[in-house]
Amino acid sequence: MKYLEFVNIEYIVVAMAAMILYLLYYVFTSYSEFHKNIRSVASVVEDLNREIFYLKKELNDTKTNIKNNSSRMSDTEIYEEVERTVYDMVKPLSLGVKRLEDTLVNIDEQMNLRITSLENGVKQISIPTSVHGNDDEKIISLFKQGVSLDTISKELHISKAEVEFVLKINKIK
């Protein structure tokens, strides 16, 4: 009889260990995908920095051209040239920021899905209500009658730790 109880406990412990190993594997794989997404964001940021560099260079070239041609251009023409240059500079930046925003939204959605999945996996792990389901009521009843933990464990032929476990699970002690 004791041997069967010990074997049942071993199966429960092995099953819980397997679930914990699965969760660790899941977290590790999720982290690697998250890291890959971060690298793609870094790549987009690098492309934006490159575009900003070229746009600054183009702006400086345009300023130089405007200074050289300012004697020949009217104020309206200068204003229109500056407006075109600014628009040409802002448009690629705007597109890059939009791509970055879309990537971040995608990463956020993926992370939320993974967190929800992980939370659901953790919720599915259940601790058994008691090692000896039939003894729960007896343990609770005896404890409420004022019987000591040692006496309960001797009377029901279970360990004191199991008695304490049942009382803690049922929020009595």
Side-chain angles (χ1 to χ4, degrees):
M1 179 74 173
K2 293 262 186 201
Y3 176 73
L4 289 177
E5 293 171 1
F6 183 72
V7 170
N8 287 338
I9 292 171
E10 285 181 345
Y11 286 131
I12 292 170
V13 169
V14 168
M16 290 178 75
M19 284 300 286
I20 289 170
L21 287 174
Y22 172 74
L23 286 174
L24 288 173
Y25 170 74
Y26 182 78
V27 168
F28 177 76
T29 56
S30 297
Y31 174 76
S32 64
E33 288 184 34
F34 176 74
H35 187 68
K36 183 174 77 174
N37 288 336
I38 292 297
R39 277 188 267 143
S40 69
V41 168
S43 173
V44 170
V45 169
E46 185 177 315
D47 290 343
L48 287 173
N49 281 334
R50 191 176 303 118
E51 283 186 43
I52 288 171
F53 170 78
Y54 289 123
L55 290 173
K56 283 181 179 179
K57 184 178 180 205
E58 187 177 327
L59 178 62
N60 287 334
D61 291 343
T62 304
K63 283 180 184 178
T64 305
N65 287 338
I66 289 173
K67 284 181 184 177
N68 292 339
N69 296 326
S70 64
S71 60
R72 292 179 271 165
M73 295 175 73
S74 69
D75 289 343
T76 307
E77 291 172 331
I78 292 173
Y79 178 77
E80 288 172 355
E81 181 65 29
V82 168
E83 197 173 60
R84 271 193 305 272
T85 304
V86 168
Y87 177 78
D88 290 343
M89 287 176 21
V90 170
K91 186 176 179 181
L93 286 176
S94 174
L95 293 174
V97 168
K98 179 66 177 157
R99 282 191 319 229
L100 183 60
E101 182 181 4
D102 291 342
T103 303
L104 289 174
V105 166
N106 186 21
I107 289 172
D108 186 47
E109 289 171 358
Q110 289 177 1
M111 290 305 293
N112 286 335
L113 286 173
R114 289 186 183 128
I115 288 171
T116 303
S117 175
L118 196 63
E119 287 173 349
N120 289 336
V122 169
K123 287 178 186 175
Q124 291 175 358
I125 297 176
S126 63
I127 298 173
T129 56
S130 172
V131 176
H132 304 285
N134 298 335
D135 292 337
D136 284 3
E137 293 175 13
K138 292 176 189 175
I139 292 170
I140 294 167
S141 174
L142 290 170
F143 184 77
K144 286 183 178 179
Q145 293 173 17
V147 178
S148 72
L149 298 180
D150 289 327
T151 307
I152 294 172
S153 69
K154 287 177 186 174
E155 188 174 311
L156 298 177
H157 304 291
I158 57 176
S159 71
K160 184 178 175 183
E162 290 177 78
V163 173
E164 291 175 343
F165 178 73
V166 170
L167 293 174
K168 284 182 183 177
I169 290 294
N170 290 289
K171 297 180 183 173
I172 294 175
K173 184 178 178 188

